[in-house]
Amino acid sequence: MTTPADFGDVGAPEFRERAHELVEWIARYLDAPERYPVLPPLVPGATRNRLSPSPPKEAEPLARILADFETQILPGLTHWNHPGFLAYFANTASAPGVLAEFLIAALNVNGMLWRTGPAATELEQLTTDWLRQLLGLSDGWFGMINDLASTSTLYALAAAREVDAELDVRRKGLAGRDLPVMRIYCSEHAHSSVDKAAMTLGIGFENVVRVKADAEFRMRPDALREAITADRARGMKPIAVVATVGTTSITSVDPVPTIADICAAEKLWLHVDGAYAGVAGAVPELRHHLDGVDRADSFVVNPHKWLFTPMDCSVFFTRRPEVLKRAFSLVAAYLETAEQDVVVNYMDYGFQLGRRFRALKLWMVLRAFGADGIAARIRHHCELATMFAGWVRAESEWEIAAPHPFSTVCFRHVPAGLSLAEVNAHNARILDRVNESGDIFMSHTMLGTTYVLRVAIGNLRTGESHLARAWELLRGGAAV
Ligand SMILES: *Cc1c(COP(=O)(O)O)cnc(C)c1O
């Protein structure tokens, strides 16, 4: 029998014993996450204060470490896998995804090159193509898996910056040169990752033009056209437009077909951000929200948001992988391989060298749910949202704040006779009361100067009873 002393790791017998216990623990957890409050007591420093400030000198037994996880760390966690989690964009680490993560860690594959994990690379190409088919997109898309939509959008804009080979930013950088100011356009409701990409790429967030939206929070194509024309007249260089399918605050959908027309006429890179709502393309009656996406240069959708895949998994598609490769490929001598001209080496398509074997979890989740299962769950979440919105609409002094095409509802309580500032503060207090319950965790957003509450349904275990509890807490909070 091997012991840790033999090779420094825990030996197989103990691993087996602890792993069996852990599987039991996880199974119980996934079965009833409601045993824990969805939001822990929000006391800064509480977890840190429970833990040893310095690392252990002597090796500690796994059993003790796992026991401490339960008593010292778990009480300080927010439970994203809890069915009462209705904040931000609720998500699910489904059981097939959890098992995949176990295997991913055990194999520890780093798919930087095809040869450092041939099956990992090929599975990444296959699963992203499966997802493309599920969403009803045409062929001709190159897919890769990144950690986050923030990364995927950064890649899209880095490629857009590289389209004009004369700029040669890749080689010469931006500083100390006579270059035009580059401009990126997105709606006023687009995600802050667009600004962060502009910051990171040296374009500057002031050069992200926030185009006005219409009454339903969709980018106005006429305003986009005007902004581009005005910038060109000032000698600036428009490079890309980011359209959003499912904006983060209110899940509005920009008019992608019209924006695609403008991008074609203006020769601009079109990136579509469908981080949350992109997977709605798997549901026939929601598929129209992806109309026009096939004409984009790039598209991002996050299976870790609404496709039951554990954090992290963001799928980035581009029709122009050669431009992405031009932006990022740099092959050091020690990374050259004989097969590099006939295989995909994913390190050529981004700034990261090493990459996790995320394709395995996407493959397991897609197979374990199937196209029909995925569509059924997403459809059900949308039905729950419609039901919840119905309760809000039916009650006096409560109002729906924006259309809800998917599974997220924005709303607020508007008691008569209060100023806007007072109504805003009143709704913020309601939110605090709901979140103190431990049963439900919700978040808010600002629509202009209006504070609105937000219910986002995306956890597989969320059902009518959880929404009924949320509604009870909301009405109770409003009555105080
Ligand atoms: C959540 C979200 C993002 C950011 O996603 P990350 O994967 O956390 O970077 C970007 N865009 C939209 C529309 C989102 O909803």
Side-chain angles (χ1 to χ4, degrees):
M1 189 179 111
T2 56
T3 66
D6 293 330
F7 56 99
D9 198 359
V10 165
E14 196 193 348
F15 175 80
R16 189 169 287 117
E17 200 175 319
R18 295 287 91 79
H20 281 299
E21 286 169 13
L22 205 53
V23 166
E24 275 307 313
W25 191 94
I26 294 171
R28 260 186 295 122
Y29 179 74
L30 293 180
D31 198 38
E34 291 113 308
R35 288 189 293 134
Y36 302 97
V38 57
L39 198 62
L42 298 176
V43 184
T47 301
R48 197 74 197 261
N49 291 336
R50 283 194 288 270
L51 299 169
S52 165
S54 50
K57 183 160 172 355
E58 304 286 333
E60 295 191 76
L62 264 184
R64 191 201 301 162
I65 301 169
L66 291 170
D68 288 350
F69 155 74
E70 193 156 355
T71 55
Q72 300 179 350
I73 295 177
L74 199 65
L77 287 178
T78 300
H79 290 274
W80 283 74
N81 244 356
H82 190 296
F85 190 108
L86 305 173
Y88 310 106
F89 282 123
N91 60 17
T92 313
S94 63
V98 172
L99 292 175
E101 288 284 15
F102 203 11
L103 280 174
I104 291 166
L107 296 166
N108 203 25
V109 165
N110 179 342
M112 56 192 194
L113 298 164
W114 176 84
R115 71 162 55 186
T116 64
T121 296
E122 293 180 20
L123 203 61
E124 188 158 333
Q125 294 175 279
L126 179 86
T127 52
T128 54
D129 193 61
W130 277 12
L131 184 61
R132 170 193 73 73
Q133 295 174 47
L134 269 176
L135 303 185
L137 297 175
S138 62
D139 52 17
W141 288 95
F142 170 91
M144 71 190 288
I145 304 182
N146 293 322
D147 50 356
L148 302 167
S150 302
T151 303
S152 298
T153 293
L154 175 65
Y155 284 10
L157 296 175
R161 196 181 62 176
E162 219 51 47
V163 169
D164 183 349
E166 279 185 13
L167 293 181
D168 203 11
V169 176
R170 165 200 164 99
R171 194 160 62 98
K172 296 181 181 155
L174 290 163
R177 302 174 60 196
D178 187 18
L179 288 179
V181 173
M182 292 180 221
R183 304 284 269 182
I184 295 163
Y185 307 82
C186 62
S187 122
E188 55 183 314
H189 299 290
H191 191 263
S192 56
S193 54
V194 181
D195 306 274
K196 286 204 167 185
M199 286 157 57
T200 309
L201 291 167
I203 290 168
F205 69 72
E206 274 188 14
N207 292 310
V208 174
V209 181
R210 293 280 180 165
V211 178
K212 285 275 169 242
D214 66 15
E216 298 203 339
F217 312 102
R218 302 169 298 202
M219 191 198 295
R220 274 176 38 202
D222 58 318
L224 172 64
R225 224 179 259 115
E226 271 170 34
I228 295 169
T229 306
D231 284 350
R232 287 208 200 277
R234 289 194 286 166
M236 292 170 156
K237 185 175 176 64
I239 61 167
V241 177
V242 180
T244 312
V245 173
T247 56
T248 309
S249 280
I250 44 207
T251 72
S252 55
V253 179
D254 288 336
V256 179
T258 315
I259 294 171
D261 289 340
I262 295 171
C263 288
E266 299 281 350
K267 295 199 168 38
L268 298 180
W269 186 284
L270 173 58
H271 175 60
V272 178
D273 180 355
Y276 153 69
V279 294
V283 186
E285 66 272 22
L286 298 174
R287 174 59 183 75
H288 65 275
H289 291 301
L290 296 193
D291 285 354
V293 170
D294 267 325
R295 295 171 57 204
D297 297 283
S298 57
F299 174 53
V300 59
V301 53
N302 279 2
H304 75 231
K305 266 189 174 153
W306 203 11
L307 196 53
F308 326 130
T309 309
M311 279 286 282
D312 46 15
C313 185
S314 173
V315 175
F316 179 58
F317 291 104
T318 179
R319 286 195 169 282
R320 302 170 77 180
E322 72 292 348
V323 180
L324 188 65
K325 194 169 175 180
R326 202 165 76 216
F328 285 114
S329 181
L330 190 69
V331 185
Y334 46 82
L335 292 171
E336 282 174 6
T337 62
E339 67 276 10
Q340 66 191 20
D341 295 331
V342 293
V343 297
V344 164
N345 286 325
Y346 271 112
M347 69 158 193
D348 289 336
Y349 297 87
F351 57 70
Q352 66 170 62
L353 172 60
R355 57 196 302 106
R356 272 159 52 66
F357 188 8
R358 296 187 185 92
L360 187 64
K361 59 182 166 179
L362 187 56
W363 181 70
M364 284 179 58
V365 168
L366 294 179
R367 288 191 61 181
F369 282 82
D372 291 346
I374 290 166
R377 302 323 302 173
I378 292 172
R379 183 180 289 125
H380 179 57
H381 289 165
C382 295
E383 287 164 0
L384 288 172
T386 302
M387 179 194 73
F388 180 84
W391 298 344
V392 174
R393 266 194 203 94
E395 192 97 351
S396 65
E397 297 195 335
W398 287 87
E399 67 177 31
I400 296 289
H404 46 92
F406 305 108
S407 66
T408 302
V409 184
C410 292
F411 59 99
R412 63 185 187 136
H413 186 232
V414 195
L418 299 187
S419 69
L420 175 62
E422 287 164 342
V423 175
N424 285 353
H426 170 69
N427 280 273
R429 277 195 302 273
I430 295 175
L431 183 66
D432 285 343
R433 289 190 195 113
V434 170
N435 288 343
E436 279 160 14
S437 69
D439 295 343
I440 298 292
F441 178 29
M442 284 173 29
S443 57
H444 75 282
T445 192
M446 296 298 296
L447 286 184
T449 54
T450 305
Y451 182 104
V452 301
L453 302 167
R454 224 171 137 277
V455 155
I457 299 156
N459 184 274
L460 288 175
R461 287 174 185 75
T462 299
E464 185 170 341
S465 65
H466 306 99
L467 293 167
R469 177 70 180 135
W471 186 222
E472 176 187 42
L473 288 165
L474 283 160
R475 288 192 302 174
V480 175

